[in-house]
Amino acid sequence: MLSFLIRLCASASAVNPGFPILRDPGTVIKNRTDRPFLRLLLSSVFQRFSFVVLYSVFMLNEILAQGQRTIDASLEKLLPAATQRPDSIHQAMRHSVFAGGKRLRPILCLEAARMIAGRLPEGVEELGSALEMLHTYSLIHDDLPALDNDDLRRGKPTCHVVFGEALAILAGDALQTQAYEVLARLKCPPENRVKIIEEIARGTGTVDGMIGGQVKDLEAERQRPDAATLEYIHRSKTGALITASLVSGGIYANGSLAEIQRLRDFGRSIGLAFQIVDDVLDVTQSSEQLGKTAGKDTASEKATYPSLFGIDESLRRADALVSSGCSALDSFAQRAQTLKDLAYFLVQRKN
């Protein structure tokens, strides 16, 4: 019973952070000899949260699974077939796109659109697919010998290991151009389509975007950057595309300027939190758990939050960012619950 309670508390922390004991299951162990405390805790958890927690965890898992299925089916339709000439490039593109992955960016996009529209707008899965293509292109290039020089991604050999460096570069390029072809055909008003393309291009570009963050990340290797530089790297390299995913979903659903701004504020907070947790996982999890080579940041002497602040403080900052981000969505009331649950999932994940 005690071990079950600890597992329940750990799951509950991702979906209901408001109850302090659920944020620290270790408290149960520390006080395990205090029988009145255990009775009170059991009563509180099971009477107030057990049904809500178990239902919320089940629903979040279902949303993630359904989102993956939706995006995978859309990607299958949108990408050229592996047999399409020239088949080598299409096989390389598909190798990386279908190597696995949680599809978090497209799922955030879909759920932002659902929150604004009250339903999933027709064709929004193609927007999510374009975002996944762009994310995968960035991973292919990130793994190249000239950058991170990684042999493992999503638990499988990286694109350049399987197909060679030249074809991997071209596969990343092709996924980027394919993504913008998809974006140009989105089933939304033309003015919204242009705004979406602008938002995503900026989020992946050099000024406060993904490529700019990658450049600063490379330049910061084997140095000890200050906190402001580290935050810039993480907000740009990782956070910008997460923010663009949320904002573009809101634009697709025809959200108001105020609604889009709330999504942007939410994205900026959880995007940074996501990369902080990624930094922590790099030093606390194995390669098998991560699906990529563990300890690469340390080996490359990269700028990370654990190296600057330590693991505990890094996790505290990630939690605070998620709490702050979720408060930006409070005006949406219950409609925002799925996005909030996803935000807590980002900091509770183990890979």
Side-chain angles (χ1 to χ4, degrees), residues 109-168:
C109 172
L110 267 58
E111 293 306 321
R114 193 199 305 270
M115 183 185 73
I116 297 294
R119 58 179 177 78
L120 208 57
E122 180 185 358
V124 71
E125 70 279 359
E126 295 191 358
L127 169 56
S129 297
L131 289 162
E132 187 65 21
M133 291 179 199
L134 289 165
H135 175 54
T136 304
Y137 123 70
S138 75
L139 298 181
I140 292 173
H141 284 187
D142 203 36
D143 290 333
L144 289 168
L147 280 84
D148 279 1
N149 192 23
D150 215 326
D151 294 341
L152 192 66
R153 174 68 69 176
R154 293 171 169 173
K156 297 184 178 180
T158 48
C159 192
H160 70 271
V161 169
V162 177
F163 295 94
E165 190 173 343
L167 205 58

Side-chain angles (χ1 to χ4, degrees), residues 6 57 85 102 112 116 140-141 149 213 259-260 340 348:
I6 293 170
V57 170
R85 191 172 61 177
K102 295 177 284 292
I116 297 294
I140 292 173
H141 284 187
N149 192 23
E259 289 172 330
I260 298 303
K340 290 183 177 182
Q348 296 292 334

Side-chain angles (χ1 to χ4, degrees), residues 3-20:
S3 63
F4 168 76
L5 176 59
I6 293 170
R7 290 196 302 273
L8 178 63
C9 289
S11 297
S13 67
V15 294
N16 204 327
F19 193 42

Side-chain angles (χ1 to χ4, degrees), residues 23 102 104-105 108 230-243 246 264-282 292 297 304-306 309-326 339-351:
R23 297 296 289 159
K102 295 177 284 292
L104 284 175
R105 289 154 189 81
L108 288 170
L230 183 57
E231 181 175 330
Y232 172 84
I233 291 170
H234 284 11
R235 285 194 184 279
S236 302
K237 181 181 176 182
T238 303
L241 184 55
I242 287 175
T243 301
L246 288 154
R264 191 181 302 281
D265 292 342
F266 174 70
R268 280 181 54 78
S269 291
I270 71 163
L272 178 56
F274 179 92
Q275 186 55 52
I276 291 174
V277 172
D278 229 38
D279 287 355
V280 171
L281 293 176
D282 186 70
K292 58 184 180 181
D297 292 344
T304 68
Y305 267 72
F309 300 107
I311 291 174
D312 290 343
E313 175 61 14
S314 296
L315 292 174
R316 188 197 68 76
R317 288 176 180 241
D319 278 343
L321 281 162
V322 168
S323 296
S324 172
C326 287
L339 280 180
K340 290 183 177 182
D341 289 349
L342 285 168
Y344 282 103
F345 166 77
L346 295 183
V347 296
Q348 296 292 334
R349 64 195 170 90
K350 299 302 180 185
N351 59 33

Side-chain angles (χ1 to χ4, degrees), residues 34-332:
D34 186 346
R35 297 304 175 185
F37 171 81
L38 279 176
R39 285 197 296 271
L40 177 62
L41 177 63
L42 284 167
S43 175
S44 177
V45 170
F46 284 99
Q47 289 182 21
R48 295 176 59 190
F49 294 111
S50 60
F51 176 78
V52 174
V53 165
L54 293 173
Y55 179 76
S56 296
V57 170
F58 171 79
M59 288 303 296
L60 183 58
N61 287 336
E62 180 56 30
I63 286 167
L64 288 167
Q66 181 58 49
Q68 290 171 350
R69 290 192 294 268
T70 298
I71 295 302
D72 283 350
S74 177
L75 285 165
E76 182 62 47
K77 293 178 182 177
L78 293 170
L79 287 170
T83 54
Q84 175 70 47
R85 191 172 61 177
D87 54 14
S88 57
I89 186 70
H90 299 135
Q91 289 168 15
M93 292 163 67
R94 284 174 163 270
H95 168 83
S96 293
V97 168
F98 292 113
K102 295 177 284 292
R103 310 304 195 207
L104 284 175
R105 289 154 189 81
I107 290 172
L108 288 170
C109 172
L110 267 58
E111 293 306 321
R114 193 199 305 270
M115 183 185 73
I116 297 294
R119 58 179 177 78
L120 208 57
E122 180 185 358
V124 71
E125 70 279 359
E126 295 191 358
L127 169 56
S129 297
L131 289 162
E132 187 65 21
M133 291 179 199
L134 289 165
H135 175 54
T136 304
Y137 123 70
S138 75
L139 298 181
I140 292 173
H141 284 187
D142 203 36
D143 290 333
L144 289 168
L147 280 84
D148 279 1
N149 192 23
D150 215 326
D151 294 341
L152 192 66
R153 174 68 69 176
R154 293 171 169 173
K156 297 184 178 180
T158 48
C159 192
H160 70 271
V161 169
V162 177
F163 295 94
E165 190 173 343
L167 205 58
I169 293 170
L170 293 172
D173 293 343
L175 283 169
Q176 184 180 37
T177 56
Q178 184 75 28
Y180 281 102
E181 181 180 339
V182 172
L183 292 173
R185 297 197 307 255
L186 289 176
K187 301 177 181 70
C188 63
E191 59 272 23
N192 288 19
R193 196 181 309 138
V194 172
K195 289 178 182 176
I196 287 169
I197 291 172
E198 178 186 15
E199 183 70 33
I200 293 173
R202 185 167 56 242
T204 55
T206 59
V207 179
D208 300 331
M210 182 180 72
I211 294 174
Q214 179 70 69
V215 170
K216 289 300 295 181
D217 190 39
L218 286 171
E219 293 175 348
E221 287 184 9
R222 293 173 175 79
Q223 298 181 18
R224 188 171 177 83
D226 57 27
T229 301
L230 183 57
E231 181 175 330
Y232 172 84
I233 291 170
H234 284 11
R235 285 194 184 279
S236 302
K237 181 181 176 182
T238 303
L241 184 55
I242 287 175
T243 301
S245 300
L246 288 154
V247 170
S248 62
I251 295 172
Y252 191 94
N254 210 30
S256 68
L257 290 176
E259 289 172 330
I260 298 303
Q261 185 58 52
R262 293 185 195 111
L263 280 170
R264 191 181 302 281
D265 292 342
F266 174 70
R268 280 181 54 78
S269 291
I270 71 163
L272 178 56
F274 179 92
Q275 186 55 52
I276 291 174
V277 172
D278 229 38
D279 287 355
V280 171
L281 293 176
D282 186 70
V283 296
T284 60
Q285 303 294 304
S286 68
S287 298
E288 290 73 23
Q289 290 169 311
L290 293 177
K292 58 184 180 181
T293 306
K296 287 285 291 186
D297 292 344
T298 301
S300 302
E301 298 183 43
K302 278 186 175 290
T304 68
Y305 267 72
S307 67
L308 201 60
F309 300 107
I311 291 174
D312 290 343
E313 175 61 14
S314 296
L315 292 174
R316 188 197 68 76
R317 288 176 180 241
D319 278 343
L321 281 162
V322 168
S323 296
S324 172
C326 287
S327 68
L329 301 183
D330 283 346
S331 62
F332 291 104

